[in-house]
């Protein structure tokens, strides 16, 4: 999988708002490198990491796990939203250009729009994390 810089940035921000990285086989994680960008990895049993950029496998150093962030799939985003009590009402493609994701946050709906469905779901999840931190609906 290749993710956009925006998806990496949203996932990194999710980590800062409390979404813990997951290191179960099959998960995708990434980490940022100062001024160099992001590198993504597939988690292998062991736990090992397979660099999706370089194609090399290496063990996950336990003292480095805090530098990584998890990239949940669209399905995982929906499950995480539901656990926070924020149902996804609608996902639709608008004008063949952008995805529109509508959530129910207490008595109001919220909309996130992005070029990729995955990014729109990640932005919705980030909004739910921010709301719960601020004592809001999520």
């Amino acid at each position: 999988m290749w993710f956009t810089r925006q998806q990496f940035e949203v996932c990194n921000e999710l980590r800062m708002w409390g979404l813990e990285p997951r290191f179960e086989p099959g998960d995708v994680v990434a980490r940022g490198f100062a001024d160099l960008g992001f590198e993504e990895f597939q988690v292998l049993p062991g736990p090992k990491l397979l660099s999706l950029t370089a194609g090399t496998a290496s063990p996950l150093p336990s003292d480095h796990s805090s530098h990584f962030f998890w990239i949940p799939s669209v399905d995982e985003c929906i499950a995480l939203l539901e656990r926070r009590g924020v149902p996804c009402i609608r996902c639709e493609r608008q004008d063949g250009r952008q995805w529109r994701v509508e959530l129910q946050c207490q008595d109001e709906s919220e909309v996130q729009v992005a070029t990729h469905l995955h990014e729109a779901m990640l932005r919705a999840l980030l909004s739910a994390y921010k709301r719960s931190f601020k004592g809001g609906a999520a």
Side-chain angles (χ1 to χ4, degrees):
M1 261 186 217
W2 294 97
F3 297 103
T4 65
R5 181 169 193 80
Q6 291 84 1
Q7 288 165 298
F8 285 131
E9 288 170 354
V10 172
C11 290
N12 192 34
E13 190 173 352
L14 270 164
R15 179 179 58 90
M16 290 186 263
W17 283 94
L19 182 64
E20 294 293 324
R22 243 179 42 173
F23 295 98
E24 296 177 21
D27 282 342
V28 177
V29 295
R31 69 176 288 178
F33 295 95
D35 298 330
L36 296 175
F38 298 95
E39 184 175 6
E40 60 193 290
F41 302 86
Q42 183 92 42
V43 178
L44 303 174
K48 290 184 177 183
L49 297 177
L50 173 65
S51 169
L52 298 179
T53 305
T56 57
S58 59
L60 171 66
S62 59
D63 58 335
H64 287 247
S65 61
S66 65
H67 299 289
F68 290 88
F69 53 88
W70 178 34
I71 303 176
S73 68
V74 170
D75 289 339
E76 290 165 331
C77 286
I78 291 170
L80 289 165
L81 284 165
E82 288 174 353
R83 275 189 238 143
R84 297 185 91 69
V86 180
C88 184
I89 300 170
R90 184 176 298 119
C91 295
E92 60 189 9
R93 188 101 163 127
Q94 290 185 317
D95 301 328
R97 292 176 151 163
Q98 294 191 322
W99 283 92
R100 181 181 185 274
V101 173
E102 185 176 353
L103 309 170
Q104 184 63 44
C105 303
Q106 272 189 344
D107 296 334
E108 61 186 43
S109 65
E110 177 179 309
V111 174
Q112 295 292 330
V113 178
T115 305
H116 301 280
L117 175 59
H118 189 231
E119 182 184 345
M121 292 304 301
L122 290 169
R123 289 186 182 285
L125 186 59
L126 178 59
S127 175
Y129 268 79
K130 287 179 175 182
R131 280 177 177 268
S132 66
F133 183 76
K134 294 175 184 175

